[in-house]
Amino acid sequence: QGCAQKYIVKNYFYYYLFKFSAALGEEIFYITFLPFTYWNIDHSVSRRMIIVWSIVMYIGQVSKDILKWPRPLSPPVVKLEMRTNAEYGMPSTHAMAATAISFSFFIATMNQYKYPFELGLAAAFVFSTLVCLSRLYTGMHTVLDVIGGALISAVLLVLLYPAWDTIDHLLLTSPFCPLFSIVVPLVLCYNYPKLDYYSPTRGDTTTILGAAAGATVGFWLNNQCAASAHTGTGVQPGLPLASSTVVFVLARFFTGILVVLLTRWLMKSAVLGVLGYRYQFPMGDLQARRRLEVEVPYKFVTYSCVGLTATVLVPLLHQLLGLM
């Protein structure tokens, strides 16, 4: 499974389009788009997307390891990715994440900002469709996997939408929010379904829940400190951007991403160093890092710090630098 297949690219437009689209369902997209929304568009929209994203992704990841439906056989399918090949196929979490993020963004913004309803709906549909098609093109999922993932995500959105405001209010005001936000995800990570072999699903799930936990605690802290926790001061979609506004948006984004990536690197090194000392393994030992007692705390602590940094420290830095 670890051997790359040989293939010939006959259409570079489709190849790069769908390789890029596949990346829209991976960590590189989450760690850029979700913070960008929080720093530059609207805090309430970002909060709702993160809540939906974490719930949808947890259900999708767990469903894979419970159903245990295999990915498409290769051959005849040529697989353009190898990392996720060790995971099961049904449902496609790329399809779930794309549907959840695009449509939750659309639903959360359509009543707050003035833009054509049809344009927002079309953008959400195109985004999710491109990601879904990329999973077929790269050979990682069947049509049923993709349709199943999109439908599950749509059903979860319908079920969660009526409770959005209530959940958001509780996460901002409840004194139990920090405890709940940390303990519940940790319990879910430690009790993740066990497989007969190693799969990256548990680690990916821990990453997602850790980031959401840190961000949720950050939302609560901001609200307790009377920060602007409801509406951001950033750009409103659909309005023409002045050149100075674009400069501020880019400055906030690149400053924030630099701090977030630095936090991830520092915390990863520190936590792995502590765990390596505790369990007597070198930091480069991949097998040791896959053990439950190592993988869960290392990824949860690292990414909860990333989420906390993105929602608390980065906005403070923006204020100090005069970027707000």
Side-chain angles (χ1 to χ4, degrees), residues 225-298:
C225 297
S228 178
H230 292 282
T231 302
T233 57
V235 182
Q236 292 190 0
L239 298 178
L241 302 181
S243 59
S244 59
T245 303
V246 173
V247 170
F248 273 92
V249 166
L250 292 177
R252 282 196 293 266
F253 175 69
F254 286 112
T255 301
I257 286 298
L258 181 62
V259 174
V260 164
L261 293 178
L262 181 61
T263 300
R264 184 178 66 166
W265 176 76
L266 289 174
M267 292 308 303
K268 179 178 179 180
S269 302
V271 176
L272 276 178
V274 172
L275 291 171
Y277 177 79
R278 168 66 178 82
Y279 295 107
Q280 298 299 306
F281 67 87
M283 289 182 61
D285 188 342
L286 183 59
Q287 293 303 317
R289 287 162 55 176
R290 289 176 171 178
R291 287 154 44 189
L292 174 67
E293 65 271 21
V294 175
E295 184 176 58
V296 170
Y298 131 60

Side-chain angles (χ1 to χ4, degrees), residues 30 37 109 113 139 190 205 214 223:
Y30 304 143
T37 304
T109 58
Y113 300 98
Y190 274 108
T205 304
N223 190 66

Side-chain angles (χ1 to χ4, degrees), residues 116-133:
F117 175 86
E118 296 78 8
L119 178 62
L121 181 63
F125 180 79
V126 169
F127 178 89
S128 56
T129 299
L130 280 175
V131 176
C132 290
L133 290 177

